[in-house]
Amino acid sequence: MYASYYKLKKEPFHITPDPEFLFLSPSHKEALGSIIYGVGHKKGFVQITGEVGVGKTTILRSYLETVDRGGLKIIYIFNSNVSYQCLLKTILRELEIPELTDEVVEMVNQLHFRLIEEYKKGITVVLIIDEAQNMPVETLENIRMLSNLETSTDKLFQIIFSGQPEFEKKLERRELRQLKQRIAVKATILPLSEKESRDYILHRLTKVGSGTATLFTDGALRRIVKEAHGIPRLINILCENAFITAMGYREGRVTTKIAKEVIADFAGKRETRILKTAVASLVAVLVVLAVLLMYTQTNREGSAAGKTAVQSEPVRTADTAATALSGRTTGRSLPDGDRSVTSAVRIVKRGDTLSRLAEAEYGYSNRELLQIVKENNPGIYNLDRIEVGQKILFPEVIK
């Protein structure tokens, strides 16, 4: 959506892991190297841990895209919250082994025979378990038994655990101590430093055709880097929403003011700011009314001859004040009964619907209005479904 506005080849800050934008900090290099070494030398178990959003999945996908897949068979487990029996069934299905039994022992024997066949053909079978911290303890305890599938020199099954720090805590349990001892290669992905965070932003901009930092002011970069605390996913979210907000304001780049607004939105401070603005507007209106009232009272005490003319003046003044106030709010003079709403940007929060947001922004909602909003937001594919964290531009309309 904002890529064409800023003349970029594509949007550089999608939160979906994309190996094309891979940025290798020292800890990311170590994690990628650990996977390559552990699988290549058939070490059995490899463990990659890191906080939410630091790039674990990106590293895994980068490995899968760069490694020679000719000598590998990859089984990727996205949902790790499964029983050992279900895990074995998934592995057999991925290896195209006929499902002949539900007995765990027999399934392990079937797997063992297939692994030996693949080993003889020079094929390495790799099991990747993402979000490993969600795997039940009983399943993890049984996975240890798969490491017994080996030749005299090599492990037949290579297993990569990728998880949050909670996975390491789970391995401290007494019943998992044998599994912990068998993990041969470990690496931890750390949050980016302040310099690495800046380099990360510029790296992604360079990938889409912007070789300089001119799309962000230095102050905006400082604000975003400080708020993200070195988490790439947070950097992506803040930068993408900053671009969308800047586009909504028709700005040529992201300024410090825009960065502060986006950060405030994500910190939940927008409602407070709106309330303060509303209170300030109400006070201003009350002041205008008080002045008009005083003016009217003063003129009533004037001479009887000029009383009618004087009394009519405050009415005209009030009309003028109201028109001026309307002009300041809408940016244009409108016929009686019409109302203009200037463009605004809102971030979707839990429980929000497009209809509810439109009603809050315009004071009403119907299918025709929602269609106008959809046409101005390419990221909306369904009027009945919007995503938490999504930035929505509400264009200027006249009711």
Side-chain angles (χ1 to χ4, degrees):
M1 181 168 63
Y2 63 83
S4 58
Y5 182 82
Y6 289 103
K7 296 180 174 58
L8 303 175
K9 289 185 290 188
K10 62 187 297 188
E11 295 176 2
F13 294 106
H14 277 303
I15 61 173
T16 305
D18 188 346
E20 180 184 350
F21 291 98
L22 180 64
F23 176 83
L24 291 175
S25 71
S27 65
H28 286 83
K29 288 180 182 178
E30 180 185 356
L32 183 57
S34 296
I35 295 172
I36 294 172
Y37 174 78
V39 173
H41 289 78
K42 296 182 173 57
K43 292 297 183 178
F45 288 109
V46 177
Q47 174 187 316
I48 305 297
T49 53
E51 282 291 350
V52 177
V54 295
K56 300 183 295 295
T57 303
T58 302
I59 288 296
L60 288 174
R61 292 189 179 181
S62 176
Y63 167 73
L64 295 177
E65 286 203 359
T66 56
V67 72
D68 180 9
R69 299 288 289 271
L72 295 178
K73 280 194 175 179
I74 305 292
I75 304 169
Y76 203 125
I77 304 297
F78 296 94
N79 177 20
S80 61
N81 189 15
V82 293
S83 68
Y84 184 55
Q85 184 185 50
C86 288
L87 178 64
L88 285 174
K89 286 186 175 183
T90 300
I91 294 171
L92 295 183
R93 184 170 60 251
E94 291 295 316
L95 292 176
E96 300 180 348
I97 300 174
E99 191 173 317
L100 302 177
T101 177
D102 285 337
E103 292 294 328
V104 169
V105 174
E106 288 301 318
M107 285 192 285
V108 171
N109 287 336
Q110 284 181 278
L111 175 61
H112 191 189
F113 291 141
R114 174 56 62 85
L115 291 176
I116 291 175
E117 290 176 4
E118 300 294 347
Y119 181 80
K120 290 178 179 178
K121 292 186 292 187
I123 302 294
T124 301
V125 180
V126 182
L127 174 67
I128 298 177
I129 301 174
D130 209 351
E131 302 295 343
Q133 75 279 353
N134 297 326
M135 182 160 277
V137 171
E138 184 180 356
T139 305
L140 287 170
E141 187 177 4
N142 281 288
I143 281 180
R144 172 183 59 84
M145 303 301 294
L146 297 180
S147 68
N148 293 332
L149 306 179
E150 58 187 3
T151 68
S152 58
T153 56
D154 295 319
K155 298 289 185 183
L156 292 174
F157 208 21
Q158 310 307 310
I159 301 175
I160 301 173
F161 292 116
S162 174
Q164 298 167 20
E166 290 81 357
F167 179 66
E168 287 188 289
K169 294 179 182 178
K170 183 173 282 191
L171 290 178
E172 295 297 328
R173 299 172 66 110
R174 179 174 176 78
E175 58 265 44
L176 295 179
R177 66 188 185 280
Q178 294 188 61
L179 173 61
K180 181 181 177 181
Q181 290 174 0
R182 297 193 183 195
I183 296 176
V185 183
K186 298 181 181 180
T188 300
I189 301 178
L190 303 174
L192 303 176
S193 66
E194 182 177 334
K195 181 181 182 307
E196 289 167 350
S197 296
R198 279 176 166 266
D199 291 343
Y200 173 86
I201 294 173
L202 300 182
H203 169 77
R204 295 183 80 97
L205 288 173
T206 300
K207 285 286 185 179
V208 295
S210 175
T212 67
T214 54
L215 291 180
F216 287 84
T217 66
D218 191 60
L221 280 177
R222 282 200 307 271
R223 292 274 181 174
I224 290 173
V225 166
K226 182 178 179 181
E227 182 67 20
H229 301 292
I231 305 299
R233 184 180 298 166
L234 291 181
I235 294 175
N236 287 358
I237 291 173
L238 292 174
C239 286
E240 177 151 280
N241 283 280
F243 267 133
I244 294 172
T245 302
M247 182 183 68
Y249 289 141
R250 300 296 185 266
E251 292 284 350
R253 60 178 179 168
V254 176
T255 63
T256 303
K257 180 180 178 181
I258 290 173
K260 288 170 64 177
E261 179 179 330
V262 169
I263 291 168
D265 284 337
F266 278 89
K269 297 176 182 177
R270 176 171 180 160
E271 289 79 5
T272 302
R273 189 170 64 252
I274 292 174
L275 179 61
K276 288 181 178 179
T277 302
V279 170
S281 299
L282 178 60
V283 170
V285 171
L286 292 176
V287 169
V288 170
L289 291 177
V291 170
L292 291 175
L293 183 61
M294 290 176 60
Y295 182 74
T296 303
Q297 187 64 33
T298 301
N299 281 278
R300 281 177 179 173
E301 296 174 357
S303 62
K307 188 173 182 180
T308 302
V310 172
Q311 284 179 334
S312 66
E313 185 63 28
V315 177
R316 290 195 300 272
T317 306
D319 288 343
T320 305
T323 302
L325 183 59
S326 174
R328 284 196 299 271
T329 303
T330 66
R332 64 175 73 185
S333 57
L334 301 170
D336 292 340
D338 283 1
R339 181 172 65 88
S340 173
V341 180
T342 56
S343 61
V345 177
R346 284 178 175 260
I347 294 178
V348 178
K349 296 182 179 178
R350 190 176 300 278
D352 282 342
T353 64
L354 188 59
S355 177
R356 188 177 302 168
L357 291 176
E359 188 169 346
E361 192 63 41
Y362 301 120
Y364 74 103
S365 175
N366 56 38
R367 206 69 178 175
E368 181 181 359
L369 177 63
L370 296 184
Q371 188 62 37
I372 293 173
V373 175
K374 180 176 180 293
E375 290 171 359
N376 283 269
N377 291 271
I380 298 178
Y381 304 101
N382 187 335
L383 293 178
D384 299 318
R385 181 175 180 180
I386 53 179
E387 302 294 335
V388 174
Q390 185 176 1
K391 202 97 172 189
I392 298 179
L393 173 67
F394 288 90
E396 181 177 1
V397 299
I398 298 178
K399 180 182 177 183

